[in-house]
Amino acid sequence: MRPAVQCHRFLFGVERQQVLDDAGTSGKGAEEIKWRLQLLLQVAEEWQLLLSWSALFSGVSPGSLADDDVLNDQLRVLSRHERLAAECVMALEDKRDKSISFTQMVIEEDSMRNGRGLSDQWADSVVVRPRTTERHITVHRRLVLGFAISILGLIIVTIIAVLLSVKFEECANEGSNRMGNITVHPGARLNQSTESLSSNPSHSKTAGKPWTQLRLPSSLKPYHYELNITAFMDNFTFTGEVSIWMRCVNSTKYIVLHADKLPVEGVTVANSSDRLGIRRYFLYPQNQVLVIMLTRELNALKRYTVRIRYSANIADELLGFFRSSYLANGERNFLAVTQFSPTHARKTFPCFDEPVYKATFKITIKHQEPYLALSNMPVVAVIHEEEGWVTKLFAETPRMSTYYLAWAICNFTFKDTVTESGITVRLYARPDAIQRGSGDYALNITKRLLEFYEDYFNVSYSLPKLDLLAVPKYPYAAMENWGLSVFVEQRILLDPGVSSIPYLLDVTMVVVHEICHQWFGDLVTPIWWEDVWLKEGFAHYFEYVGTDYLYPDFNMEKQRFLTDNLHEVLLLDGLASSHPISQEVLQAADIDRVFDWIAYKKGAALIRMVANFMGQHIFQIGLQDFLTEHMYGNAGRNDLWNKLTEVISVGNRAGLIDDAFNLARAGYLPQNIPLEIIRYLYKEKEFLPWHAASNVLLYLDKLVDRNKEYNIFSQYILQQVAPAYNLLGWPEDAANSSVVQAPYQTEELRRKVIILACKFGIALCHEKTMMLLSEWMASDHNRIPPNVRDIAYCTGISLMDDNVWEFILSKYQSSTAVSEKKILLEALACSKNIFLLNRLLNLSLNSQLVPDQNTIDVIVHVAKYPNGRDLAWKFFRDKWAVLNSRYGEALFMNSRLIKGVTEFLSTEAELKELKEFIKNLGEGTDASFAQATEIVEANVRWHGLLEEELFQWLRKSLNS
């Protein structure tokens, strides 16, 4: 009977005795009480509904409204009333006529507990409304009076809610973040709970709620991140602060970005002049996003910064920022590493975690010794702090997608090597594995593969280093993070004495696959996950092409591809569950699903078929053009098909030019044929044929630039270049334009034409460069467009007096921009003054003025020009001992230096000097010297047999 006794405490004036009396009446009296309780429950539900709607319209969560004492009391009363009403009904059921079946009672009681509506069951049990007695009239009057009071209360609550909303807006406009911090998680629950309130057949659930969509809204575009991570390896936690610079594309009051289970501790939003008010912010777990509601709109075409502080655990799962361990000498050693692909960067820092939102990143990691930290880029600064803490600042990355960002904190050791183009390659692993040499094989083939891909794609590897990290636990065989590729140990470590050929082949193909991704994936990234085959299909195809490069006898692409890939994918593709290589991604669960063997193997089979149809050479040119056009950006399948379709004709023209000049240089074609072919260039509108022509003409120029009749060669080239130069001209001044003033192909075409025009002496080109340099010297304001500064600097120095050389040197010494310093230094080599060139060569050995890694650049650039070629060759021989002493036996730029200094030596005397120099070095000389000897011998042979043939044709052609 306890629930029946408690009923007297109900609202609206129902006295204890009346309730008890009613409880003891006949079944019809009980039905009357149930009817009244139903009414009370409906009133209570309406109060709750009103509060939810008030919160929804005002933007304040129920928890925030409840800060008011009156509202708190009302909410508590309502909650209690709902519970007591339910208890009363169950108590009354106990008092019902015994003729009511036990089964019916259980059903009704179960319905109450499950929150289902009571009205239907009550309606079923009520047969006839009881006759109204005097006592019932009294109860009804009190009920009506109570109901009237409830209506008045509803009005009062509404007014209070509106006032609180207005007050909240005023606080938000003052820039307070307090309420935002309070409602991070309640705000997320509010959006979940109110979703059903706003839904109806004629109104979309997602209207006005961009955070409910799978894709992020396109109103904001991030362009730079600065991320600071402090890792506590003793308790596997970390704190983070990320600052994101964004461009506003369309006006919006919402910032929606990804964050998955990250406890956010503070948010600020600012523009260049002040902070913006934050109404509130909250996590929306369904789509793993953080929503920041602002008090006023972000304006289109303006730039803003959002700064977010948070903390989290270094996870025990193999995604996001997670921990791993290994045993060494009986002790457990820990490390922490990231795995962000495809959608797990958001587990570690708030970000725009979609492939298309590329940006630059600056990473700072703070950790304790003796750990070391790695990331995509090299360390640029190290700060040692108290209690063994170390802060490492990493160089800024190129534009890249969030899921290729990476870092690791470990106590590994490494071995390293350097490619011919100067890329440092390191393999990090457990100290015992490094000591055993288990990583040597992967390290060595990575060096060779980088060189192979640079040559095949005709696109340089974009970063200064590539680290390979072998970890004990990892969710995949490997991950191609740009500059820091991570491998599970079993797929990269190899012990030659005990490893089988299949194991060696497996390691090889995994490494080949991941290095290919540095171009197809990292450099050029699919726009969206539906085209994941654009990176995985290519990487899988090149597993066979790259392995053939390393082991030609394996015949992988022609034979093993058929049995290992094609036959298997035909079997898969015959199943009813198969699908096209491009799949729609409509929900988050679809993203992981697209990484299947259809994307990898069917994608690879399609690519191989296209390559065989087009021919390997044309296909290669198409890939080069595709990568060049979309580098540091995104591309879809149509971009690839359009480029391959286009390149069949454009590539043929470029290939024809390149083949003709190379065959003529080798003596297989008459010398006039390539020069006849380029007569059509004046009407060529595409970049690729001009690019091919520029390469071969500048090479031929170096062979003939010391000929006494050089002027007739340059005059002929000018005739072919002048129409294009007159059409394209120079880009806009730097002060009035962005870095890229026109589409990439147009800018690069213009650049190639300007290089040739200034190199071969078009007067207007010379006048332009001298005018730009003179203006800079007079005003100290450089308005030379960045894309052609190297051309202007070099041409101006070669034409103007020594004061320009001194001016450029002073600018080199004072500049802090790395890219600008590089072209200023290289331009100094363009002088025709032998004294200045000797001075530059000697300065190059001064480490205080020229960084050690740039010394070789100076020597090679001096050797490119006729006035400096003899000087550089002599300097190289005279200073060989100094260079060797400075860089050690493994001179990291050895091959490039040797090639650059000797490539255009072409006389019998120079060949003799080269051979004597090599002989004096003794045994064990670099293999590059043998290659250099072959090249110089070919140059001497061309001069002796074919040079005169070329000039005879030129004289005849110009005279006619």
Side-chain angles (χ1 to χ4, degrees):
M1 292 297 295
R2 180 174 176 80
V5 174
Q6 287 181 335
C7 288
H8 81 281
R9 296 178 180 173
F10 241 95
L11 207 59
F12 308 136
V14 182
E15 296 178 357
R16 170 180 179 170
Q17 189 58 47
Q18 291 170 325
V19 175
L20 291 174
D21 289 344
D22 287 338
T25 61
S26 65
K28 289 185 178 180
E31 300 295 347
E32 179 76 7
I33 297 297
K34 289 206 298 186
W35 173 78
R36 288 189 302 214
L37 291 174
Q38 176 196 16
L39 195 61
L40 293 173
L41 275 172
Q42 290 174 342
V43 171
E45 289 172 358
E46 288 168 2
W47 276 58
Q48 295 253 11
L49 186 65
L50 175 67
L51 285 173
S52 296
W53 276 103
S54 299
L56 183 63
F57 288 126
S58 65
V60 183
S61 70
S64 300
L65 287 173
D67 288 345
D68 185 277
D69 291 337
V70 175
L71 294 181
N72 261 327
D73 292 341
Q74 297 289 355
L75 288 170
R76 285 194 293 270
V77 169
L78 287 174
S79 177
R80 186 169 69 252
H81 289 166
E82 288 184 288
R83 186 184 73 252
L84 291 177
E87 290 175 352
C88 285
V89 172
M90 287 188 286
L92 289 171
E93 288 296 334
D94 290 337
K95 300 285 291 181
R96 296 238 2 222
D97 192 283
K98 293 182 180 180
S99 64
I100 300 176
S101 71
F102 177 78
T103 303
Q104 182 179 354
M105 185 183 300
V106 170
I107 293 173
E108 293 184 6
E109 183 176 352
D110 195 45
S111 298
M112 295 286 293
R113 290 173 180 167
N114 287 316
R116 292 193 289 268
L118 301 172
S119 57
D120 291 342
Q121 295 173 24
W122 287 349
D124 292 340
S125 63
V126 175
V127 179
V128 180
R129 286 290 304 275
R131 182 175 58 82
T132 304
T133 64
E134 191 169 324
R135 183 176 58 192
H136 290 153
I137 293 172
T138 302
V139 172
H140 279 219
R141 285 174 179 169
R142 291 177 179 176
L143 185 60
V144 171
L145 176 61
F147 189 73
I149 293 172
S150 72
I151 295 299
L152 180 61
L154 292 176
I155 296 172
I156 293 172
V157 169
T158 303
I159 294 172
I160 292 173
V162 172
L163 290 175
L164 283 174
S165 175
V166 173
K167 184 63 178 174
F168 188 89
E169 287 284 345
E170 292 173 354
C171 293
N173 284 331
E174 294 170 3
S176 170
N177 295 322
R178 181 179 61 84
M179 189 61 71
N181 292 336
I182 291 173
T183 61
V184 169
H185 292 290
R189 288 198 294 270
L190 172 62
N191 280 286
Q192 295 166 38
S193 62
T194 60
E195 190 69 36
S196 61
L197 297 176
S198 64
S199 61
N200 60 64
S202 61
H203 181 71
S204 171
K205 286 186 177 183
T206 61
K209 298 179 183 178
W211 54 88
T212 60
Q213 302 285 352
L214 170 64
R215 299 290 298 272
L216 293 177
S218 58
S219 50
L220 296 170
K221 303 289 186 187
Y223 62 91
H224 180 66
Y225 291 73
E226 290 190 1
L227 177 60
N228 299 317
I229 296 292
T230 300
F232 301 90
M233 294 295 289
D234 53 347
N235 62 5
F236 303 116
T237 62
F238 71 97
T239 61
E241 180 174 297
V242 62
S243 298
I244 309 173
W245 280 258
M246 311 170 295
R247 297 182 184 90
C248 182
V249 179
N250 300 307
S251 298
T252 180
K253 291 184 74 171
Y254 304 113
I255 299 175
V256 183
L257 69 166
H258 288 107
D260 185 12
K261 302 182 185 70
L262 288 177
V264 176
E265 298 170 355
V267 176
T268 60
V269 179
N271 56 23
S272 57
S273 57
D274 61 358
R275 284 191 178 186
L276 282 71
I278 297 177
R279 188 175 178 189
R280 67 189 181 100
Y281 58 84
F282 57 89
L283 294 171
Y284 187 72
Q286 291 94 323
N287 286 339
Q288 302 175 344
V289 294
L290 169 65
V291 182
I292 304 170
M293 293 183 168
L294 304 171
T295 59
R296 59 184 173 90
E297 283 193 335
L298 303 179
N299 296 322
L301 306 181
K302 299 292 185 182
R303 301 189 180 200
Y304 299 89
T305 305
V306 58
R307 180 171 286 108
I308 304 168
R309 291 183 294 104
Y310 62 98
S311 59
N313 293 325
I314 300 175
D316 199 20
E317 60 176 351
L318 300 180
L319 297 171
F321 185 27
F322 67 91
R323 62 184 183 264
S324 181
S325 67
Y326 64 94
L327 283 173
N329 299 322
E331 292 186 8
R332 177 69 59 183
N333 290 265
F334 292 94
L335 64 144
V337 67
T338 58
Q339 169 55 40
F340 290 161
S341 176
T343 58
H344 305 299
R346 64 193 68 175
K347 294 181 185 293
T348 305
F349 66 104
C351 56
F352 293 77
D353 198 13
E354 292 180 8
V356 75
Y357 291 112
K358 287 198 167 186
T360 57
F361 293 81
K362 274 190 175 179
I363 306 297
T364 299
I365 298 178
K366 183 176 181 180
H367 61 87
Q368 285 191 302
E369 294 179 328
Y371 289 100
L372 60 87
L374 305 171
S375 188
N376 305 79
M377 298 295 287
V379 174
V380 293
V382 179
I383 303 171
H384 293 276
E385 303 176 24
E386 296 180 353
E387 299 181 355
W389 284 96
V390 179
T391 299
K392 291 182 179 175
L393 289 75
F394 295 87
E396 183 175 307
T397 70
R399 289 183 70 248
M400 60 186 291
S401 299
T402 49
Y403 73 95
Y404 282 132
L405 196 67
W407 63 82
I409 300 172
C410 59
N411 52 10
F412 287 173
T413 55
F414 67 88
K415 282 188 178 180
D416 61 1
T417 186
V418 180
T419 70
E420 289 189 357
S421 58
I423 306 301
T424 299
V425 184
R426 287 181 174 176
L427 189 142
Y428 288 83
R430 292 176 286 108
D432 59 317
I434 293 295
Q435 188 175 7
R436 268 198 324 270
S438 301
D440 292 358
Y441 174 75
L443 180 67
N444 292 331
I445 66 170
T446 298
K447 172 183 179 293
R448 294 178 60 195
L449 287 167
L450 282 173
E451 295 164 352
F452 164 70
Y453 284 126
E454 284 188 319
D455 178 68
Y456 188 98
F457 296 138
N458 197 30
V459 176
S460 298
Y461 176 72
S462 302
L463 306 184
K465 61 95 174 175
L466 174 58
D467 294 336
L468 312 176
L469 181 66
V471 297
K473 292 193 304 181
Y474 207 63
Y476 312 115
M479 177 61 202
E480 67 272 13
N481 307 309
W482 212 357
L484 178 57
S485 292
V486 184
F487 298 74
V488 70
E489 287 180 339
Q490 295 88 340
R491 307 305 287 273
I492 192 170
L493 299 182
L494 181 148
D495 297 293
V498 297
S499 298
S500 64
I501 291 179
Y503 186 89
L504 178 143
L505 186 59
D506 184 56
V507 169
T508 301
M509 296 183 78
V510 170
V511 174
V512 172
H513 181 108
E514 302 308 324
I515 305 306
C516 178
H517 272 315
Q518 303 295 310
W519 282 265
F520 278 93
D522 296 0
L523 183 65
V524 178
T525 310
I527 294 172
W528 184 236
W529 300 110
E530 63 191 6
D531 281 333
V532 72
W533 72 272
L534 271 181
K535 70 186 189 76
E536 298 301 345
F538 271 103
H540 196 64
Y541 170 67
F542 273 95
E543 286 182 25
Y544 298 86
V545 177
T547 304
D548 274 344
Y549 168 76
L550 296 171
Y551 301 102
D553 294 342
F554 283 19
N555 213 0
M556 297 291 292
E557 195 271 341
K558 289 289 188 293
Q559 295 182 2
R560 284 290 292 270
F561 186 93
L562 301 177
T563 55
D564 292 2
N565 191 91
L566 185 59
H567 295 172
E568 183 175 341
V569 81
L570 288 174
L571 202 62
L572 286 172
D573 210 27
L575 300 176
S577 58
S578 185
H579 56 78
I581 55 173
S582 293
Q583 303 181 68
E584 274 194 307
V585 177
L586 301 177
Q587 54 189 359
D590 293 337
I591 295 175
D592 285 332
R593 180 173 54 80
V594 300
F595 286 84
D596 64 3
W597 281 125
I598 294 292
Y600 283 68
K601 295 195 171 188
K602 187 176 177 180
L606 176 63
I607 291 164
R608 181 176 180 268
M609 180 182 73
V610 172
N612 290 333
F613 167 76
M614 294 178 64
Q616 288 293 335
H617 181 63
I618 299 302
F619 176 71
Q620 183 179 352
I621 292 174
L623 295 189
Q624 292 172 356
D625 204 16
F626 173 76
L627 290 171
T628 300
E629 181 167 333
H630 297 286
M631 61 173 59
Y632 305 112
N634 300 81
R637 56 188 178 276
N638 288 339
D639 296 310
L640 176 67
W641 301 137
N642 291 340
K643 188 54 61 180
L644 291 179
T645 302
E646 172 190 304
V647 82
I648 290 177
S649 56
V650 175
N652 280 339
R653 299 200 297 273
L656 186 62
I657 292 170
D658 185 74
D659 289 345
F661 274 85
N662 286 325
L663 289 170
R665 187 163 64 244
Y668 294 110
L669 278 181
Q671 298 302 299
N672 65 300
I673 296 298
L675 295 177
E676 293 273 15
I677 287 175
I678 64 169
R679 283 183 185 271
Y680 93 98
L681 279 176
Y682 74 93
K683 52 185 178 183
E684 176 62 73
K685 300 297 189 292
E686 297 293 337
F687 160 70
L688 198 63
W690 272 103
H691 184 44
S694 175
N695 289 342
V696 293
L697 286 173
L698 291 175
Y699 189 94
L700 181 58
D701 175 74
K702 300 297 184 293
L703 289 178
V704 301
D705 60 8
R706 292 183 288 183
N707 189 294
K708 61 182 180 180
E709 293 186 284
Y710 174 75
N711 65 307
I712 65 172
F713 171 75
S714 62
Q715 187 178 347
Y716 179 83
I717 303 303
L718 278 182
Q719 291 178 355
Q720 320 311 320
V721 174
Y725 176 79
N726 294 333
L727 177 66
L728 294 169
W730 282 64
E732 294 294 323
D733 294 342
N736 302 318
S737 64
S738 61
V739 174
V740 179
Q741 301 88 7
Y744 172 82
Q745 296 278 354
T746 302
E747 282 299 307
E748 283 299 282
L749 172 59
R750 188 198 316 273
R751 176 179 164 80
K752 290 298 179 185
V753 170
I754 293 175
I755 288 173
L756 294 173
C758 283
K759 174 69 185 70
F760 292 108
I762 290 182
L764 290 176
C765 193
H766 287 179
E767 292 168 6
K768 181 73 172 181
T769 59
M770 291 189 289
M771 179 194 73
L772 291 171
L773 276 175
S774 298
E775 287 182 357
W776 183 20
M777 294 175 68
S779 65
D780 204 29
H781 175 66
N782 189 354
R783 66 182 190 91
I784 304 174
N787 202 41
V788 292
R789 284 186 176 178
D790 57 335
I791 308 171
Y793 297 167
C794 181
T795 305
I797 283 179
S798 70
L799 296 173
M800 302 169 75
D801 59 31
D802 297 349
N803 291 333
V804 177
W805 195 91
E806 298 290 352
F807 174 78
I808 295 294
L809 177 62
S810 68
K811 289 300 179 183
Y812 165 77
Q813 292 171 322
S814 62
S815 176
T816 58
V818 175
S819 59
E820 182 73 359
K821 287 182 77 73
K822 182 178 186 299
I823 63 173
L824 287 166
L825 181 63
E826 292 173 357
L828 294 172
C830 299
S831 175
K832 295 178 180 177
N833 186 319
I834 293 177
F835 171 78
L836 293 178
L837 293 177
N838 267 322
R839 180 181 166 194
L840 175 63
L841 288 169
N842 289 314
L843 286 175
S844 71
L845 294 180
N846 183 347
S847 299
Q848 299 299 315
L849 181 64
V850 177
D852 289 351
Q853 66 270 20
N854 291 344
T855 298
I856 293 170
D857 292 331
V858 172
I859 301 171
V860 169
H861 274 80
V862 171
K864 285 172 62 176
Y865 303 102
N867 287 32
R869 195 163 302 144
D870 293 341
L871 298 178
W873 172 226
K874 184 177 185 303
F875 184 83
F876 170 81
R877 289 175 289 159
D878 291 345
K879 302 298 182 182
W880 175 252
V882 176
L883 293 170
N884 197 40
S885 173
R886 174 184 287 188
Y887 300 112
E889 293 181 2
L891 182 61
F892 69 91
M893 298 292 280
N894 215 10
S895 60
R896 196 166 76 86
L897 173 62
I898 295 168
K899 180 183 178 182
V901 170
T902 63
E903 187 174 18
F904 300 110
L905 301 179
S906 57
T907 67
E908 291 282 1
E910 288 167 341
L911 176 60
K912 182 179 178 181
E913 290 172 348
L914 173 61
K915 290 182 175 179
E916 288 179 353
F917 178 73
I918 296 171
K919 181 180 178 181
N920 291 335
L921 290 178
E923 295 183 359
T925 56
D926 194 290
S928 299
F929 280 116
Q931 297 172 354
T933 302
E934 287 186 35
I935 291 173
V936 176
E937 286 175 341
N939 293 345
V940 171
R941 192 161 50 248
W942 184 85
H943 276 282
L945 300 175
L946 303 171
E947 183 178 25
E948 180 56 27
E949 178 188 334
L950 172 70
F951 277 89
Q952 282 181 359
W953 183 85
L954 286 171
R955 287 191 291 267
K956 181 179 178 180
S957 175
L958 291 173
N959 290 334
S960 61

